[in-house]
Amino acid sequence: MKRILPFRGLMSGRMSQLHFLCALLLSVLSTQAATFYVTPTGSGNNSGTDWSNASPGSQLRTKLAAGTSGDIFKIAQGTYKPTTYADGTSLSISFSIPSGVQVYGGYTTGTENRNFGTTVFSGDIDNDNLLDEQNSTHVVYFDGVSSDTRLDGVVIEGGYANGLLFLGWGGGVFNNGRAKVSKPLLINCYMRNNYAERGSGMFNDGDRRGNAGCQLINCVFSHNYARSEGGGLTHYGDSDASTNPALINCVFYGNSTDFTGGGISIIGLKTGINLFNCIIWANTAGASDPGIVIMDGVEIQYSNVQDVPASATNINVNPLFVDAPGGDFRLQTCSPLIDAGDPASTTATSSSVDLAGNPRFYNNGRIDMGAYEYQGNLTNPVAITTGPASASAVCVGSTVSVPVSATGTALSYQWYKEGTLLEAQTSAMLSLTQVQASQAGSYSVVVSNACSSTTSLAFVLTVYDLPAVAITPTSPTVCAGSSVTLTASGEGTYLWDTGKTTSSISVTPVATMYYSVTVTTANQCSSTASTQVTVRDQFPVPTLASNPSAGSPGSLTVIQNTPYVTLTASGCSGLLNWSGSYDGSDPSITVSTLATGTFSYSVNCQLEGCTSPTATFTVLVTPSLVSGSFDGFVNGADCSTFRGWAWDRNKPNTAVTVDILDGPRWSQPYWLMCSDRICKPLVRAMESMPSLGVSPKA
Ligand SMILES: [Ca+2]
Ligand SMILES: [Ca+2]
């Protein structure tokens, strides 16, 4: 690097030719820009050519002052002071940054990694760690520099400007554009804990129709104090708005002054400042305008300036810094300044990174206000868009589903009934099943996220009782084939499962079955009752047996005067009921054979009101028969002896066996001998003794 400072004196002369040559020389030299490396203590041969040969901090001021346009200074983390010669005459010694020189701070020693805020330019040249009269008047000085002059990533603190005029302005930074142009770029810088009569953090002097239109990006002014005005920054303009400084994504916090403009003050009537995406908050002034002295020419865009009324361009709300008193000006999750900066901002108009070195356009999203970009997505506030319904009326036992729709980030829901939290109801749908009358009332939901919440309008639930329904008689029993009348109670309309709509129905079930009825009230609430109608099994038909036994089922033929027939009914546990030729209930009856004819008997079984089917039996009593070649007669009977004759014409003189029949009594075979082949006809004998009969046996 060439030392060109001596030319300044020459250029003030009248030698225009030389002036031109010098300008040409400057132009040539500027293409030979160099990069210098500086650490607090230096390293290697201290030439500054690289980190291994870094210049020590004690040489920084002179190295800077000797810089030429295009030179780059990389300054490692640590504290640097313009001088340590605190004899009172060195107060005006500053880090003077020549036009076109770029100064970058915050390097971790030996690397290209940067951490803004770790390289400190301090005015505490008396080394007592006090902000006092023994500190530098201006820590950093710009004097008529071009817009490619850059101070990047440096903390400027401890300046103390308490003298007259210029010596009382700009404790931290003095930008001299008085009657000339001086437009440095300060980016990623902190101006803190400086003192001045005016403009403690920075004084921007554009008086005498000068142009001090500097640019500040990602800069924080905090805890600077000015006795008169401009605790953070004073701009002194005297040209026109085209020379306004531009402050982009800057923060002014905790600056103060005894008079006016705690954050920013503006002197002069023809210029102001332009604020984009800036935060001016919690600054104080003894007399007026704690935030900023507003004058014509001040343009506020997408900013948050306290004490300036909220408008389309100014929010004026608590920025919600993470820890402003502790110096942490990042935005909390719920800060209203997230994604609230100028949506037209680009890396060209702002910076690609914020003051923490994080991406300025997080997730390619909209820029925030302030020096730090929130590293997350915006938490959109809660807004209920639909629902819940205002009211609903249902029947006991119903299911109730009441949806609500809301917009916002990461929403949570909590339903309440009459103000009482419902633990299980934490979704976008109020869901009630098997609703009971006690659940009638007013419901609402609170929709919330990390940053906001809102309460819905009320949903009023009405619950109607169900009708009381019963069927009488309860669980009746009927005989097979019988009917029963079922009657429903309960107020409303009726509908039986048979399709009937009357309160009473008559049913004749063929088997045991259920009948149900649904009663519906005027509120369209329904209840159903059912009852079982039991059909008693049919009793079995009594079994009729005969003695003598029947030749064919249900009928028996006997000969007149043979022993009486016995009919016996069995299989009935109830009452036997005979009809026909006998009317009684005896299990056994006797059928006489004295008279011929057909005799029918019917019997059923009766039990608990039910009657079995009927069994029938027919007894046919026929006249005595004599057939074949037999002949004979009975002549008389006395005591135990019958007298008479019987023979077989085909077998003369052969003994035959005859039955002596006298109705119910037993019969007995008798051996008779034929004594006379010529006999009187049997008929006569039968006519004389009609009560006896002869039934020859084969
Ligand atoms: Ca001091
Ligand atoms: Ca953002």
Side-chain angles (χ1 to χ4, degrees), residues 124 126 128 130 132 135:
D124 183 36
D126 59 332
D128 62 356
L130 296 176
D132 55 22
N135 286 21

Side-chain angles (χ1 to χ4, degrees), residues 95 126 147 150 161 315 363 390 507 654 662:
F95 287 120
D126 59 332
S147 61
R150 180 178 184 124
I315 296 182
N363 201 22
S390 60
V507 296
T654 301
D662 70 344

